[in-house]
Amino acid sequence: MTDPTSARPDDAVPFGFIDVDRAEKPKLVRGVFDAVASRYDLMNDLMSFGLHRAWKEAAIARLSPQPGQLLIDVAGGTGDLSRGFVRAAEQIGKRRGGQPARAIVTDLTPDMLFAGKARGSDEGLSWVAGDALNLPYPDAVADAVIISFGIRNVADIPVALREAR
């Protein structure tokens, strides 16, 4: 374990309470989420006392989903935020009309995507295994990109943010 008061080597990044080699972090993150995928939503409820739901609702409100929009939800896990985005746009569409909104749930961990698909009710959602550091989409394809809680799990936050932008 690295002393948190010491300088971090250039190739080290945080992983929980330790520093790890930047190249190793994606494998470690994937291992954690592979192990918890089937219980991820329950874990979020228990660990945040349900507050993660309010945080996601606030993020969706900030995104202001509209009919016909496309969201890329990076580190989207089981798709909660994406489902909320599509539902919020659908409510507006009932009043104003327009094409349904869509969301692409993108996650490094295929098991998280499988767990999300197993929940059903995925109308308007697509599921893509992908890395926040190298998204598998052309530039300017989406109306919005979000990486809520998953930002802490990427190996290089500035690169992930540039990729999203």
Side-chain angles (χ1 to χ4, degrees):
M1 186 162 164
T2 304
D3 177 359
T5 61
S6 67
R8 176 181 294 151
D10 287 343
D11 59 344
V13 293
F15 180 72
F17 297 108
I18 62 171
D19 289 341
V20 299
D21 183 87
R22 182 180 311 275
E24 291 299 310
K25 186 170 181 175
K27 289 182 251 178
L28 295 169
V29 168
R30 185 169 174 182
V32 167
F33 287 96
D34 278 343
V36 301
S38 66
R39 300 176 305 281
Y40 180 75
D41 294 318
L42 174 62
M43 281 180 31
N44 265 348
D45 280 334
L46 295 173
M47 291 188 312
S48 74
F49 299 103
L51 280 175
H52 74 102
R53 295 179 187 280
W55 298 332
K56 289 174 185 173
E57 287 176 16
I60 292 164
R62 180 87 169 135
L63 287 167
S64 185
Q66 301 297 312
Q69 286 188 329
L70 172 64
L71 170 72
I72 296 176
D73 185 1
V74 181
T78 59
D80 279 355
L81 197 140
S82 290
R83 283 185 181 89
F85 180 90
V86 169
R87 278 193 305 266
E90 181 182 1
Q91 292 304 310
I92 292 169
K94 286 179 181 177
R95 295 189 304 272
R96 289 197 326 216
Q99 295 296 314
R102 298 172 297 124
I104 304 172
V105 183
T106 305
D107 201 279
L108 182 65
T109 310
D111 284 353
M112 290 294 286
L113 299 172
F114 293 137
K117 286 182 195 179
R119 291 182 56 200
S121 69
D122 63 354
E123 189 171 327
L125 301 185
S126 300
W127 306 87
V128 175
D131 187 343
L133 302 181
N134 187 23
L135 294 172
Y137 311 110
D139 289 346
V141 72
D143 298 288
V145 178
I146 193 164
I147 187 172
S148 55
F149 302 116
I151 194 70
R152 69 183 180 267
N153 296 319
V154 299
D156 193 326
I157 292 172
V159 169
L161 294 176
R162 282 193 301 271
E163 181 68 6
R165 189 174 196 304

